[in-house]
Amino acid sequence: MAGNRAVAYEGPGKVDVIDIDYPTFELKDGPGVNPANVGRQVQHGVILRTITTNICGSDQHMVRGRTTAPTGLVLGHEITGEVVEVGRDVEFIKVGDIVSVPFNISCGRCRNCKERKTGVCLNVNPDRPGSAYGYVDMGGWVGGQSQYVLVPYADWNLLKFPDREQALEKILDLTMLSDIFPTGFHGAFTAGIGVGSTAYIAGAGPVGLAAAVSAQLLGAAVVIVGDLNPERLAQARSFGCETVDLTKGEPQDQIEQILGVPEVDAAVDAVGFEAHGHGKDSGKEKPATVLNSLMKVTAAGGALGIPGLYVTGDPGAATEEAKVGSLSISLGTGWAKSLSFTTGQCPVMKYNRQLMMAILHDKVQIAKAVHAQPISLEDAPRGYAEFDAGAATKYVLNPNGYLKD
């Protein structure tokens, strides 16, 4: 039997690469595993040899100690792989298939799945709707920053690439289909961005950059990206975005300099609960800053897409209210302007096939836009540290040597 190396959370600020068990078609006990899931049979699943698995900003929230994640939790929800074993009940996925794994685990059988709300599946997490690999309070499914990983409900969950050679050639783009590209697209789409729109994206990390690419794909006339990090703003400009430097203050004045008016048609929050203030407060954490600023800069009747992560348990928050996800949001502003809001996990399966086709037919270069950089699995601690320090890079782990130097 093959060995299995994986990246695990080992306490605030620390990850390590450890040996774990090779997966089987039965859920075992372990860090973060819901007791009700222990012993669960997964004959509807497959085992993948991981081709690529990415470091995500959502992982960083856990690694910073900003969630209730237990030590020893194997990380990783952005997975692309080759099928090496299939469970007894798998009918259509075959050994040798190259596949993308949506980060949200869904059963395909419950009411929400049948309504394409796969981010809030009712059957995969005993605690609450919705689940994901390697993530706190998400049912305890083992993460995919590993050499091998189990994927349940394989016929339903997996997106099979039509041609192996083409998939491996474009793998740095296709690896973004597991999360950040659909998530960014979801933010842009639910904000109502379309042909001729003016759009503001808060945050120039990988999800924000993916949202900016998606806004362009949807036909936006102008895409403006705001951030505090000059390297990430430069990355946004590299593919045609306008930018706002939030160290200089609130975005309205800079938006007006670009558009002639201080408002946009649509806005996306790609920052989430670790947001910092703007201008003189740019060094201070103020978790409601982005949501409140987006309500100010979005024109009446517009919409906000909010793929940025917000949590109900944040032990590192500055206030008691924020520790349970209660933020000082100016809902009155949103109400007065008749703004629409869409929050929560992206239902990846709603978008991933269409985005795959855009990649395969050269309509988008998402890996270039987010500055994808492959590194080895053993280099994961370095990747986490550099990403946490603000690197304008999307780190792609290469656990089994599919990507050549």
Side-chain angles (χ1 to χ4, degrees):
M1 180 177 293
N4 198 11
R5 298 278 284 167
V7 181
Y9 168 64
E10 298 294 357
K14 185 180 179 184
V15 298
D16 200 3
V17 184
I18 65 172
D19 291 308
I20 65 170
D21 291 338
Y22 183 87
T24 68
F25 295 108
E26 178 182 322
L27 293 189
K28 305 294 178 62
D29 199 6
V33 177
N34 189 298
N37 265 349
V38 175
R40 188 169 180 168
Q41 297 300 305
V42 194
Q43 290 297 332
H44 44 68
V46 301
I47 294 170
L48 299 183
R49 181 188 295 119
T50 306
I51 295 175
T52 53
T53 178
N54 314 326
I55 296 174
C56 181
S58 298
D59 299 321
Q60 286 285 16
H61 293 308
M62 290 187 290
V63 172
R64 291 185 189 122
R66 297 300 298 268
T67 71
T68 55
T71 58
L73 181 72
V74 174
L75 302 169
H77 55 271
E78 300 189 11
I79 310 163
T80 305
E82 178 176 6
V83 178
V84 293
E85 294 186 45
V86 298
R88 179 193 61 227
D89 300 331
V90 176
E91 186 174 358
F92 303 113
I93 296 294
K94 307 299 182 186
V95 170
D97 287 345
I98 306 292
V99 295
S100 177
V101 184
F103 80 89
N104 18 47
I105 304 168
S106 56
C107 71
R109 296 154 165 79
C110 71
R111 171 181 175 176
N112 284 350
C113 285
K114 290 178 180 179
E115 293 177 356
R116 302 182 78 190
K117 301 173 185 174
T118 53
V120 282
C121 173
L122 301 174
N123 287 332
V124 288
N125 182 357
D127 281 337
R128 64 181 73 175
S131 190
Y133 304 88
Y135 213 84
V136 59
D137 296 331
M138 288 293 184
W141 299 84
V142 177
Q145 286 176 14
S146 55
Q147 292 176 301
Y148 297 90
V149 64
L150 171 69
V151 174
Y153 302 103
D155 283 327
W156 164 255
N157 278 305
L158 293 178
L159 175 67
K160 177 184 172 181
F161 299 136
D163 181 84
R164 178 188 179 91
E165 185 175 334
Q166 184 187 33
L168 292 176
E169 181 182 335
K170 293 181 176 288
I171 200 65
L172 278 183
D173 291 292
L174 295 171
T175 191
M176 306 305 164
L177 291 173
S178 56
D179 182 356
I180 68 163
F181 195 9
T183 294
F185 190 90
H186 180 61
F189 182 80
T190 56
I193 296 171
V195 175
S197 296
T198 58
Y200 175 63
I201 314 295
V207 169
L209 296 174
V213 169
S214 299
Q216 293 174 337
L217 194 61
L218 287 164
V222 183
V223 180
I224 304 168
V225 179
D227 204 288
L228 303 163
N229 182 320
E231 291 184 7
R232 291 182 172 182
L233 290 174
Q235 185 62 29
R237 289 192 294 272
S238 74
F239 58 94
C241 298
E242 302 285 347
T243 57
V244 165
D245 183 350
L246 296 171
T247 65
K248 297 179 179 178
E250 295 292 330
Q252 293 96 317
D253 291 344
Q254 294 176 68
I255 289 174
E256 186 168 17
Q257 290 172 12
I258 296 166
L259 298 177
V261 293
E263 292 182 321
V264 293
D265 299 322
V268 177
D269 173 2
V271 178
F273 74 104
E274 288 192 65
H276 283 65
H278 300 158
K280 61 181 176 58
D281 291 329
S282 59
K284 303 174 184 176
E285 187 169 310
K286 292 193 166 185
T289 296
V290 170
L291 291 172
N292 287 331
S293 70
L294 293 190
M295 285 188 276
K296 291 178 184 177
V297 304
T298 304
L304 276 60
I306 309 174
L309 176 67
Y310 289 87
V311 297
T312 56
D314 176 9
T319 67
E320 292 302 311
E321 292 79 11
K323 286 180 180 179
V324 293
S326 180
L327 308 181
S328 297
I329 297 171
S330 180
L331 188 60
T333 300
W335 191 94
K337 297 176 78 173
S338 293
L339 300 177
S340 301
F341 302 75
T342 300
T343 66
Q345 286 188 36
C346 164
V348 170
M349 294 173 68
K350 187 173 181 179
Y351 309 108
N352 62 352
R353 185 185 180 278
Q354 298 95 310
L355 296 177
M356 175 189 74
M357 295 300 288
I359 290 169
L360 294 179
H361 292 279
D362 300 317
K363 299 301 182 185
V364 65
Q365 292 180 302
I366 184 65
K368 183 178 180 181
V370 301
H371 191 213
Q373 180 179 323
I375 61 175
S376 71
L377 189 72
E378 301 296 329
D379 252 355
R382 174 179 68 84
Y384 270 95
E386 292 179 2
F387 187 39
D388 191 46
T393 303
K394 178 66 172 178
Y395 288 100
V396 177
L397 302 180
N398 180 25
N400 288 300
Y402 282 84
L403 282 67
K404 305 304 179 184
D405 295 334

